[in-house]
Amino acid sequence: MNSKRNATLTVGNKKYELPVLSPSAGPDAIDIRKLYSSANLFAYDPGFTSTASCQSTITFVDGEAGNLLYRGYPVEQLAKQSSFIEVCYLLLYGNLPSAEELEEFEQSVTIHTMVHDQMTNFFRGFRRDAHPMAIITGVMGAMSAFYHDSTDIRDPMQREIASIRMIAKLPTIVAMAFKYSIGQPFVFPKNRLSYAANFMRMCFKVPCESYKVQPAISRALDRIFILHADHEQNASTSTVRLAGSSGANPFACIAAGIACLWGPAHGGANEACLKMLHEIQSPDRIPEFIKRAKDPSDDFRLMGFGHRVYKNFDPRAKILKESADEILSELGDADNPILKVARELERIAVDDEYFRERRLYPNVDFYSGIILSAIGFPTAMFTPIFALSRTVGWISQWKEMIADPALKIGRPRQMYIGETGRNYDESKNP
Ligand code: SDX
């Protein structure tokens, strides 16, 4: 990316010229890569609120307008007209596939949906009440032991095979984690089913009954997968990039991303949000929780609300809000009391001065749990489903980074504010 102009930094009686880079969308950036070597200065930005960590062509979030683009396509169009497997292709390779390319890609994913049979023993090492996120974090890390033939990141073919394997196997692994947690036998994938339908069947089929996927439900799940697929340099994607910058194998990098996603400030918010809505229970208790969320001495926050980048409605939340209505009506649960609480909570919060001045709106996690719960998933499965969806985004970002000839290991500096020049003897013998 070329620089058309410079920023002048004046420190004391010295001036430093720093290039200003202009992206295809979003704010310009001051290139500070030479700041330390030329001025012996660090930039300080904990939480990276004003820092661009990389250049990327995959996803763009316009937080002010509330827009999300995957390879330039609005997520609203993809959610309504595409499929998750097609969006996987788009994120991985940069363009929408032809019919033949999509068929070939879907076939390559389908034939990798089974996991190594010995992996089932790995699950049995966990207690039955282990959180599914603990299980899938461990199993993903262990995949590098089972698929060692696709861990050499310098080999583009091995990178491709590892990518397909993870996208194909995550639904199987997440379904196995769910089955293990409820004491039911694992269900093998069925290759003639779509990605979302296959996942539904692996989660909800039992050997003693036949199982038929409801098309409206698998369509809703497919849409949830699309909406969670990628989101720029969020915490878990940045974790995957940082792990990948050391040359770690792809399975280890994605395991790191899963671990980071688990946090309630990030992907764990969908589970925390539904628990919060159940705790509120009825609209007349909403003011009590709004009061707590606004109280600086109370660490309670409205889960599913607020976002580092969106200072407007999260477009994904808008689509999920519509989906929640559709699915609950489809399931004959249009009067779901929790959905009523969510809608009333949103209505009150977005009109409240505290939320308005901080530009806090519902995010992707506010309605997703209501839909997943209505489909039949327990709250502990919400973040594993987020991880399943986001794996293609993590992999796409990891591939983009690994293919960059300018790749350097990520190694942030710090501002040291601790003790200096202490002496052991003087401390031990004052
Ligand atoms: C995801 O980054 C991504 O793209 C993530 C994600 C993705 O697709 O990968 O979009 C997925 O993680 C969505 C976010 C899910 N998390 C939650 O819903 C948890 C609840 N939200 C917050 O914890 C918070 O909004 C964050 C973590 C999402 C964002 O926090 P920031 O950007 O660091 O903002 P902040 O904590 O500095 O808050 C600014 C102000 C503070 O008040 P003041 O100090 O100015 O008085 O807003 C307040 C905060 O106290 N605030 C909230 C709030 N979120 C922020 N107050 C009440 N409830 C909230 N939810």
Side-chain angles (χ1 to χ4, degrees):
M1 186 186 299
N2 297 323
S3 161
K4 301 189 192 72
R5 55 194 169 87
N6 284 347
T8 304
L9 177 66
T10 304
V11 181
N13 58 2
K14 290 190 176 170
K15 288 187 186 299
Y16 303 95
E17 293 298 314
L18 298 168
V20 175
L21 306 175
S22 295
S24 48
D28 285 355
I30 298 174
D31 184 345
I32 59 165
R33 282 175 288 184
K34 296 203 177 351
L35 181 64
Y36 178 54
S37 59
S38 62
N40 195 35
L41 288 168
F42 288 159
Y44 180 59
D45 185 16
F48 313 118
T49 49
S50 305
T51 295
S53 61
C54 63
Q55 296 180 20
S56 181
T57 61
I58 300 171
T59 297
F60 177 65
V61 176
D62 180 342
E64 293 300 321
N67 293 330
L68 169 57
L69 306 178
Y70 288 165
R71 299 285 190 181
Y73 293 96
V75 76
E76 293 86 345
Q77 293 178 14
L78 296 169
K80 290 197 169 62
Q81 298 168 264
S82 185
S83 66
F84 180 67
I85 200 74
E86 185 178 62
V87 167
C88 284
Y89 186 99
L90 174 66
L91 289 171
L92 285 168
Y93 307 115
N95 297 299
L96 287 170
S98 64
E100 296 74 28
E101 287 166 333
L102 181 59
E103 187 183 349
E104 187 185 337
F105 176 71
E106 186 161 21
Q107 177 60 10
S108 70
V109 170
T110 300
I111 60 172
H112 283 92
T113 48
M114 283 176 67
V115 295
H116 190 293
D117 195 49
Q118 209 159 318
M119 282 193 102
T120 56
N121 303 326
F122 197 77
F123 283 80
R124 301 201 199 291
F126 288 96
R127 285 176 23 170
R128 288 284 178 178
D129 61 355
H131 194 290
M133 281 300 280
I135 297 177
I136 69 171
T137 304
V139 172
M140 174 51 76
M143 279 182 72
S144 51
F146 286 88
Y147 302 105
H148 204 72
D149 62 342
S150 60
T151 54
D152 179 356
I153 62 159
R154 293 159 306 175
D155 178 351
M157 183 46 73
Q158 291 196 35
R159 295 205 297 264
E160 184 66 15
I161 293 170
S163 303
I164 296 294
R165 276 175 163 157
M166 286 188 276
I167 291 166
K169 297 179 196 302
L170 242 296
T172 309
I173 290 166
V174 170
M176 289 170 78
F178 174 48
K179 283 302 199 185
Y180 186 72
S181 70
I182 57 177
Q184 289 184 2
F186 299 138
V187 175
F188 283 106
K190 199 111 183 141
N191 286 351
R192 61 173 168 73
L193 294 175
S194 72
Y195 196 87
N198 208 358
F199 177 64
M200 288 286 293
R201 183 178 173 279
M202 289 190 284
C203 288
F204 295 115
K205 173 155 176 52
V206 288
C208 33
E209 298 280 345
S210 61
Y211 179 81
K212 190 172 176 339
V213 180
Q214 288 171 268
I217 306 293
S218 71
R219 177 77 197 122
L221 198 54
D222 194 79
R223 188 177 296 163
I224 285 177
F225 292 164
I226 291 172
L227 294 172
H228 287 78
D230 195 46
H231 212 245
E232 287 190 0
Q233 307 311 317
N234 58 83
S236 53
T237 299
S238 299
T239 300
V240 169
R241 279 181 173 259
L242 201 53
S245 73
S246 77
N249 75 69
F251 304 105
C253 296
I254 301 305
I258 294 173
C260 176
L261 185 76
W262 196 359
H266 189 15
N270 51 21
E271 177 177 355
C273 180
L274 199 76
K275 285 178 179 167
M276 174 191 74
L277 293 172
H278 278 289
E279 192 186 348
I280 294 173
Q281 197 56 48
S282 71
D284 53 24
R285 288 198 63 200
I286 289 173
E288 170 196 334
F289 285 83
I290 294 277
K291 185 166 177 283
R292 283 189 58 198
K294 291 158 61 173
D295 178 355
S297 64
D298 188 334
D299 62 6
F300 171 77
R301 287 195 162 179
L302 281 190
M303 302 317 282
F305 247 79
H307 198 277
R308 172 61 59 76
V309 179
Y310 289 119
K311 300 310 171 189
N312 201 323
F313 273 86
D314 181 334
R316 303 168 296 178
K318 284 186 190 170
I319 298 168
L320 287 168
K321 185 175 177 179
E322 289 166 22
S323 278
D325 281 340
E326 288 164 18
I327 281 302
L328 290 171
S329 304
E330 172 79 21
L331 294 169
D333 192 12
D335 295 330
N336 181 293
I338 296 300
L339 180 58
K340 278 195 166 45
V341 170
R343 298 178 73 90
E344 183 60 5
L345 177 58
E346 175 190 336
R347 187 190 66 78
I348 294 171
V350 295
D351 279 344
D352 183 287
E353 192 45 37
Y354 171 92
F355 292 89
R356 290 174 68 86
E357 72 184 25
R358 291 167 179 79
R359 300 200 289 172
L360 303 173
Y361 294 91
N363 61 50
V364 68
D365 294 307
F366 192 65
Y367 287 102
S368 56
I370 294 170
I371 300 170
L372 293 173
S373 177
I375 291 176
F377 291 107
T379 50
M381 283 299 292
F382 294 178
T383 310
I385 290 169
F386 192 152
L388 180 170
S389 316
R390 184 56 56 88
T391 292
V392 65
W394 288 329
I395 289 169
S396 303
Q397 299 270 349
W398 169 78
K399 285 178 75 175
E400 181 178 69
M401 178 190 72
I402 294 292
D404 181 349
L407 171 62
K408 292 168 79 71
I409 187 168
R411 204 288 188 201
R413 302 302 300 271
Q414 64 173 13
M415 282 184 66
Y416 178 67
I417 55 173
E419 298 282 349
T420 55
R422 289 172 117 174
N423 179 288
Y424 183 83
D425 284 343
E426 287 168 10
S427 300
K428 296 295 277 185
N429 310 300

